Every structure is written in structure tokens, then in C-alpha cells.
Amino acid sequence: MALENSNRSTTPDLQQVSDPARRTVLRLSAGAAAAALYGPWLAGCAHPGAAPRLGFAPVPPSRADTVVVPAGYVAEVIAPWGEPVGVPGAMPPWRPDASHSAAEQALQFGMHHDALQYLPLDGSRRGLLVMNHEYVDDGLLHPDGRANWSAEKVRKAQAAHGLSVSEVVLNAGAWQLVRPSPYARRFTADTPFVLGGPAAGHRLMQTAADPAGRSVRGTLNNCANGLTPWGTVLSGEENWAGYFDGGEVINEDQRRWGLRARGWSRWAEHDTRFDTRQHPNEFHRFGWVVEVDPADPTSTPVKRTALGRAAHEGAWVAVTKDGRAVVYSGEDAAFEYIYKFVSRDRIAAAGGGLSAAQANRTLLDHGTLYVARFDADGSGTWLPLVHGQGPLTPANGFADAGEVAIKTRQAADRLGATPMDRPEWLAIDPHSGSVYCTLTNNSARGSPGRPAVDAANPRANNSMGHVIRWREAGDFDATHFRWDHLVLAGDPANTRVEARGNVKGDAFGSPDGLVFDPRGLLWLQTDASSSTMHSGEYERLGNNQMLACDVATGEIRRFLTGPVGCEVTGAAFTPDARTVFVNIQHPGETPGDLSDPAAPTRHSRWPDGAAATRPRSATVVIRRRDGGYIGS
Ligand code: FEO
Ligand code: CA
Ligand code: CA
Ligand code: CA
């Protein structure tokens, strides 16, 4: 199937973002709905075709406790956990014993950096970094780990979650944080959010603290993210269910969402919000895509319920030819689904005193949500999750559109969507319009009592994962598509035939992060663990890594290897394609650490070195010594 041979243009219109500090208006990457998403070449910044697509010498698998990049590249650490984000007048410094308080943590970079976005303030010289802080490691977060568990420790853990906004500038060839910055901001598990869309105000969203069901404290387990054409960032609440304690009696709905008697966070012991016996509806107020406006530090972030409730990895936006937003998302859990939302209205331009973000404040509250079915003949169908249509009726437990949104998983079950091998990131090819999705792994595929292999998820005991892609049958709002696989990940040296895969180039497993750069290279990042792979498989592939793929040929080349025990996640390119920001998450983590009640036993001292007492998640900024395009 020829997936890469058609150009798909979008209609540019000017988007602007107001600069609250300077009361001027700045361009967010010159243009277009499309330009923010589909590449700065539309703004004349980079020059695709002027350089070879994959031009670097690949790096070998590594077990070293450091970041390795190809010859000719430089990788530098900025923004580790615990450094102040730069809120004016409030910059508590990092202390190596992690003795900073909860209040101080709420002004510092959170733990476990995940996806990040670069939003230009001055092209490729100065911009905002917006990143997710997915979860915490209590053994590292507190000087005495999980011992002496307390309300203050819960508050500190909540403060280390969420998102951060910081400002960065390129000075004399090196990127630095700008501190203080009027944009610097943290969103935590305690920040006020409002609800938008069909579940806002619903009876299942009402709590004692919020009888109207319209405002929520905090966001949790933010994993991947996407930039919108109107200058906001969408961030997915992924494994939120694990923060709640359900106690002895767990109902069918809660069980479908993975609620357990005791969650992993131990927050419920000091914050009853996370005890579903006392506050059953609080559980419904997580699992949403949240939208933040980084350019306006005074803006209130919103949970967009029209995009469905799920263990959302993230959310990524395409634009139809007539200017409506299409938001793709998946949920990273075994046998869960891939979704897309099509907005009812067109994207509005800035004007009349409103920034583009303000002009589109309710755009994602109205539209149609679909879930994907992948058929064996290479076709696929988007099934509408519309209240009153098909089985989504009051008789089946869906009283109204709000309840369909709150029970998105159950609605998708009813429609016969295809259960996938853990959908992680999606990426939209700016040249062809093809949509790519990483399916990281699913060791339960084909095991007794669980779904068998199917055409889209073709390997039983899928420890290596794969990348699927599709082209819509028409515009992005089409209800049908054609799909195939970019690659089945694996290692040709593997003794297990089903884990060898068909990689053309460097072996890898458990693809997770997935990003097209401004020149059109597809970047893959891995989140492999010895707990999901078979004995020896993880060791042979080395530490987690980042690879580049030329989608025209399928060639894949290893670009970066991370330190011991880390995940490599998030890749944000400047519009000129000469800088990439990459996040290194949880260096030193090994299976079992997080449940270890004793003092942390960790296996990395990255990035601070041998004298460090604890490893830290951090952002790495990568440039070429000659200033050239990344990857060429
Ligand atoms: Fe947070 Fe699915 O990775
Ligand atoms: Ca991920
Ligand atoms: Ca993952
Ligand atoms: Ca991870």
C-alpha cells in the first residue's frame, strides 16, 4: 500500500500569541494552523531537501550511565528536577538532599520529565519549554523516602506532578534557562482547572468540594502532549486510576478503569479526595486531555471532556481543509483503543483583542469523538461515540452525552473497537498526512482469556511493540481509512522468532515517543524495561534510546542512547531544525524500585555525577557543532 505519495496541504491562517510581559504581539511560528504543526518550512525557516535526510553515523547500543550522541553533536543538560522554573521572586534552589518543601517543589521543575514542546517567542533563538512531569519516585523525592509517610509528603508528591512552563534562550551557541521569566509557571495536582465539554457540570462530576461539577483541583500522570495551531498545549492524563484507593468494594465501572483496593500513591491516607469510598465522583474528574495556554500565565487550564476519558497518552492535532481541528489520541493500556475527535467549528483567527488561544477557548468542547476499528483487509472505520446512536442508550447505562464521555472506554467496548497493543504517541506526517502510532508492547496478547492476535496487532506475547500508520480516506475528518505497519520492532539476533521484527537498520524495542521534525524525519524513542521483555532481550538492546526513521525508505538509525535505567521521551525541535530538546526520564529506575519501602537503591548518578546522592530526570538539549540540521 502506497502511503507516502500524496501531499496534503492545509489552509494557513495567521495565528498570534499575545506576550503578557511586553504587551506586544508575537508570532507563534509564523502562520498557520499548519505552520505550528506542519513545519516551519512553511515559514521559510528550514530548507528541506538541502541536506541528506539521514546523515549521521549511528551510535551503538550502550550500557553507560550517560547520554551518547553521534560524532559532531553536543548534548547538554538543562532543567533537571528540583531546579526553580523561574517564577519571579520565588526561586527556591535545588538541594542535593532533596530537603525542599512541598511549597518549594511547586515552584521547581517536577519529577519524571515526559513529553515537551518548544513554543517560539523569537523563532529558534528564544522560546518556551512546556513539559509534563508524569509521576514521582517517592524514594528519591523525600530525604527519607517513603518512611514517616505524612501529609507533607503527599503534598510534595502532588507538587512534583503536572506540567512546567519555562523560558529558554540560545546564547553564544548554548541554551540556557531564562530566570526569572514572566511565563514561568507550574501546574500541579493542586492547580485549579475548569471542565469543558459534555461532562462539565454532569451529576457524575459533582463532589462535596465542587457541587457544580465544573472545577477540578489538579492534573495527574501527564504523559505525552501536542501543540495546537492556536498556540496551546494538550496534555494527556495517563495512569491516573492508580492514585486512588477503592477499598473493599469496587464496582463494575471502577473495575473497568483499573481501580484497586490500594493504589500505588498512598495519597488517600492523607488526602481523602483520593479515597473513592468517600468521594466516588472525584475518580471521574481525571482521565482527560487538559489544555493549557503557556503564553498567558494568568489563564485557567481546562479539562476537555469532549475528547473522551481514557488513560490518555497524549493528544495530537491535525487540521481539515476547511479549518476544523482533528485531535488524535490513544490510551496506553493493554487492549485499549485509538480515538479521534473532529471539532464542530473551524479554528478561529486571533483578533478583536483576543489571542488565538482565547479565540478558540471553546473549540474543543463541541464535536464528535470516534474510536478506531482496524479490519483484516487493511481498511479501517472510525466508529462515532454519539449518545443515542447504536448501543449508546440509557438502557445500556449512557444517560446522556456526558455519561458517554465519562464512560468512554465502556462506550468503545460496545461499538466493537479494536483492542490495541498499548497505543502510545501519535505523529502526523506533514508531507503525506499519514498518521503514525506507536504500540509499545503487550505481553498479554494471545494469552489464555485475552484477545488473540489480529491483523493490526499481529504478534502474540508482543514484547517488542510495533508502529502502525494509516491514511484517512479523504480529509482528516473521514470515517474510513487504510492502514499498514511502518515496522515491527525487534532484534534480528533474538532467539525468539516472534521478537525479531523487521527493522531496516538499528534494533530497538518498545517504541513510545514519536515525533516528526521540521524536515520530515520521524523520530522514535523507546521505553523498554526488563519487566516487559524476556530474559536477555532488554540487555542486548542496551539503555533506552532515540532513533531516526526516513519514512520514505523505512530505514531506522540509532541517534542517542540514554543513561542507565532511564526512558528517553519527548523531542521538541526548534523551527530551524537545528536544536532538539529531549527528556531523560527516571534515570536509575529498575523494576521493583518504586515499591521498595526502604531507602532508594538506584543504579544511576546521572546527570550530576558520581558524587550525587540521587539521579534526576532532566532535559537534554542537542545541537550540531557545525550548526547543521539535526539528523542530516
Ligand atoms: Fe506514560 Fe504510556 O507512557
Ligand atoms: Ca509514554
Ligand atoms: Ca511507555
Ligand atoms: Ca517509563
Side-chain angles (χ1 to χ4, degrees), residues 114 223 313 424-425 512 567 569:
D114 207 318
C223 191
E313 178 77 11
E424 299 252 27
W425 289 47
D512 188 337
E567 169 184 341
T569 180

Side-chain angles (χ1 to χ4, degrees), residues 503-540:
V503 179
K504 282 167 66 177
D506 293 325
F508 69 97
S510 296
D512 188 337
L514 192 70
V515 175
F516 276 99
D517 75 16
R519 301 167 58 247
L521 282 178
L522 180 62
W523 295 81
L524 299 117
Q525 297 169 313
T526 69
D527 179 19
S529 159
S530 58
S531 67
T532 57
M533 291 187 177
H534 290 223
S535 174
E537 291 179 350
Y538 174 70
E539 288 69 20
R540 269 196 306 279

Side-chain angles (χ1 to χ4, degrees), residues 390-416:
L392 306 183
T393 61
N396 286 327
F398 303 97
D400 47 37
E403 194 156 2
V404 172
I406 292 164
K407 298 179 177 173
T408 299
R409 266 190 188 174
Q410 292 94 323
D413 292 343
R414 291 267 181 184
L415 292 180

Side-chain angles (χ1 to χ4, degrees), residues 572-583:
F573 289 82
T574 50
D576 66 2
R578 298 175 196 275
T579 295
V580 61
F581 298 88
V582 173
N583 273 337

Side-chain angles (χ1 to χ4, degrees), residues 374-464:
F374 293 80
D375 292 323
D377 63 357
S379 68
T381 300
W382 291 107
L383 308 164
L385 294 156
V386 175
H387 179 253
Q389 286 189 18
L392 306 183
T393 61
N396 286 327
F398 303 97
D400 47 37
E403 194 156 2
V404 172
I406 292 164
K407 298 179 177 173
T408 299
R409 266 190 188 174
Q410 292 94 323
D413 292 343
R414 291 267 181 184
L415 292 180
T418 301
M420 308 298 287
D421 285 349
R422 298 183 53 197
E424 299 252 27
W425 289 47
L426 290 114
I428 302 153
D429 186 333
H431 296 294
S432 69
S434 291
V435 184
Y436 289 72
C437 180
T438 47
L439 297 157
T440 196
N441 57 59
N442 182 0
S443 55
R445 174 71 67 180
S447 62
R450 308 308 304 275
V453 297
D454 59 33
N457 302 278
R459 289 188 289 185
N461 191 358
N462 180 9
S463 65
M464 289 292 172

